[in-house]
Amino acid sequence: MPVYRAPIQDTLFQLNDVLGIDRYADLPGFANASPDMVEAVLTEAGKFCEEVLFPINRSGDLEGCTRQEDGSVTTPEGFKEAYKAYCEAGWTLLNQPEEFGGQGLPHVLGFPVEEYRMAANQAFAMYPGLTQAAVSALLVKGSDEQKRLYVPKMVSGEWGGTMNLTEPQCGTDLGLIRTRAVPNGDGSSSITGTKIFISSGEHDLTDNIIHLVLAKTPDAPDSVKGISLFIVPKYLVNDDGSLGERNTLSCGSIEHKMGIHANATCVMNYDGAKGWMVGEENKGLAAMFVMMNAARLGVGIQGLGQADIAYQNAVQYAQDRRQGRALTGPQDPAQKADPLLVHPDVRRMLMDGKAVVEGLRGLCLWGALQVDLAHGAASEEERQQADDLVSLLTPVIKGYGTDKGYDVATNAQQVFGGHGYIEEQGMSQYVRDARITMIYEGANGVQAMDLVGRKLAQNGGRAIQAFFAIVDAECATAKDKPAFADFAGQLEKANGELKAATMWFMANGMTDPNNVGAGAHHYMHIMGIVALGLMWLRMAEAAQKALDEGRGNKAFLEAKLVTARHFGERFIPDAGALRRKIEAGSEAMMALTPDQFFAA
């Protein structure tokens, strides 16, 4: 049977020893994040996810959501009770502003709680996760009246939230949307159109659902420059916050998906539904991107969560399952076979999984800290650099993080051999659930193009130059320490490959934009390798320091040093090969005519 244990020890190590969050006690939200408070929150979150959310993960996958004849949707057995317990325990409030009823704790504490939730039950976690993302958009772009009317009950979890972008004829190319918003003359608009792939679009967990919908007004430009954003509630909301009549929107059907069966992914029909514009007319895409950027970080955490739970189960199976003998001779002569863990190829998959999971956890937490610093750092310079780094790292956390998260899940399934292909083992669900993370909130190819096409050149390359400088500075310091000189040298070389790839794009992207498109995926992966390498350098240094001071779990800390070495030996060398792929350009990739793709 599948298992899940929240990685509290590793989270605390990353927060306390690597990031040293006690240094930020003077920033907003951090004053309440004392070491005791942080440990208590993580312990209770882990317990809730292990005991409440994880037990209904597999049953939810098997049962799925059901659309009723009246268009309502019923979530799987146990989900309503779990969601009620989740809200009553205050988990929806963690990072939300105190002004609207939240606890105002830093994102660097909220991200690990989100990871535990995603690992234990990704489909469940999407319901409150999307609400949080919708709140983030309203806080930035909503009017004071909209914030007053909607945000407090979304923060409390009484109401849910969604984002409605995709339509049957358009996904990434939002300029093709056909949903129309016709002004009613009273400040509201009539929204008509069909949206697809709407996660949490209809369900029975909350009293109301606040849909954020992209639409075009009658005279808007027929392009992305003509998109506006609207609040379209399932139930209209009276001035006093009470619920009014049912709005004219409905779930037409539930998508039949490969995974995340327990999340209601809906076709949503808007039939003259009442909506209210958020922000300025024709500026809806910028407003929606506030929500999408929050969601993209959340999807990166989903990739981490699925990788971790798959890895945990593979480790347990490799310890218990006996097949064959070690290449160096029997390790357990009293038994007919040795555990799978003795075989180097099984070790390869498990060590790769450990390196990715713990490295991604470090990167997500560093990203969360940058979110906090971007809002609360003391100086404008610090706030700017943190904001630059968040912008730069978001497509890497989402794109590289979910690519590697899926790799870990499939390798974990491979450890099980034929049993991994059998549903009862649970590994199939982790692979199926992990697969969507590479697709939604902007497919990973889009993330790669966002990175190389927008983020590199933004503000004259200020963000990528800052990233280069951080890596170089930490490598230079570490090279003076014999224990870390080799790893730091490897990472410095990989950073050099990233710089060379950046310069190649600058020299060859203008003459042929396809060169950028052809190399974007590889560039994102080089940057992911360098970013995780930086995390492993930091973790190794922190682990050695703790060992030298005689504190902490010795076996845990020594494992950090070995895993860092594994990352240096098995991941960092790929940076050079990826750079060479980039420099191959796009000529062969783009040469075939459409009919030449068919072999017949």
Side-chain angles (χ1 to χ4, degrees), residues 332-344:
D332 194 349
Q335 298 291 330
K336 291 184 177 181
D338 290 328
L340 285 175
L341 203 59
V342 305
H343 301 299

Side-chain angles (χ1 to χ4, degrees), residues 184-197:
N184 292 322
D186 60 358
S188 69
S189 296
S190 291
I191 313 296
T192 301
T194 297
K195 298 289 185 178
I196 64 171
F197 304 159

Side-chain angles (χ1 to χ4, degrees), residues 204-491:
D204 56 0
L205 303 183
T206 60
D207 296 333
N208 201 6
I209 302 173
I210 310 304
H211 300 285
L212 295 188
V213 182
L214 290 182
K216 291 179 179 177
T217 53
D219 299 324
D222 192 20
S223 67
V224 292
K225 295 181 179 179
I227 298 174
S228 300
L229 180 64
F230 295 85
I231 291 173
V232 189
K234 175 180 174 180
Y235 289 97
L236 301 178
V237 180
N238 299 317
D239 288 342
D240 63 358
S242 62
L243 297 182
E245 63 184 20
R246 181 75 153 80
N247 210 348
T248 52
L249 58 91
S250 63
C251 168
S253 64
I254 298 176
E255 307 284 8
H256 298 282
K257 310 185 298 293
M258 176 179 173
I260 53 169
H261 295 147
N263 189 268
T265 307
C266 301
V267 174
M268 296 298 299
N269 297 320
Y270 294 87
D271 186 15
K274 266 196 170 184
W276 288 264
M277 189 178 292
V278 178
E280 300 178 50
E281 186 174 3
N282 299 334
K283 301 290 185 182
L285 200 57
M288 182 61 85
F289 263 105
V290 174
M291 182 175 184
M292 286 193 71
N293 284 333
R296 284 171 174 175
L297 288 171
V299 173
I301 297 171
Q302 288 180 10
L304 165 60
Q306 292 308 304
D308 188 32
I309 191 168
Y311 164 76
Q312 288 189 24
N313 281 273
V315 170
Q316 176 168 294
Y317 188 80
Q319 290 175 334
D320 295 340
R321 174 77 168 174
R322 292 179 178 274
Q323 291 287 287
R325 289 297 192 186
L327 297 177
T328 54
Q331 299 298 296
D332 194 349
Q335 298 291 330
K336 291 184 177 181
D338 290 328
L340 285 175
L341 203 59
V342 305
H343 301 299
D345 195 57
V346 172
R347 288 280 186 137
R348 171 186 63 83
M349 292 184 283
L350 295 179
M351 286 299 294
D352 283 359
K354 184 175 178 63
V356 167
V357 166
E358 295 176 17
L360 277 178
R361 183 171 296 124
L363 184 59
C364 287
L365 289 173
W366 189 46
L369 178 61
Q370 302 314 306
V371 173
D372 290 320
L373 292 173
H375 289 94
S379 71
E380 172 60 28
E381 182 182 359
E382 289 176 289
R383 291 193 296 273
Q384 183 184 82
Q385 177 165 304
D387 190 57
D388 286 347
L389 287 172
V390 171
S391 180
L392 183 71
L393 291 172
T394 294
V396 179
I397 289 172
K398 196 283 183 185
Y400 180 77
T402 59
D403 277 354
K404 300 309 291 184
Y406 180 71
D407 285 349
V408 172
T410 56
N411 276 339
Q413 184 185 40
Q414 185 75 11
V415 169
F416 278 70
H419 291 283
Y421 205 65
I422 303 301
E423 288 291 338
E424 286 78 5
Q425 296 290 347
M427 302 309 291
S428 168
Q429 182 185 352
Y430 304 143
V431 171
R432 288 186 285 105
D433 286 357
R435 188 64 185 87
I436 186 57
T437 64
M438 302 162 70
I439 298 173
Y440 59 15
E441 304 306 342
N444 285 357
V446 175
Q447 302 302 317
M449 283 303 295
D450 176 48
L451 176 63
V452 302
R454 293 180 64 247
K455 302 300 173 59
L456 293 187
Q458 213 165 44
N459 302 308
R462 189 174 66 204
I464 190 65
Q465 292 299 328
F467 180 77
F468 289 154
I470 289 169
V471 177
D472 281 339
E474 296 194 29
C475 285
T477 301
K479 282 170 70 177
D480 290 336
K481 305 171 185 176
F484 305 111
D486 286 347
F487 187 96
Q490 292 171 319
L491 180 57

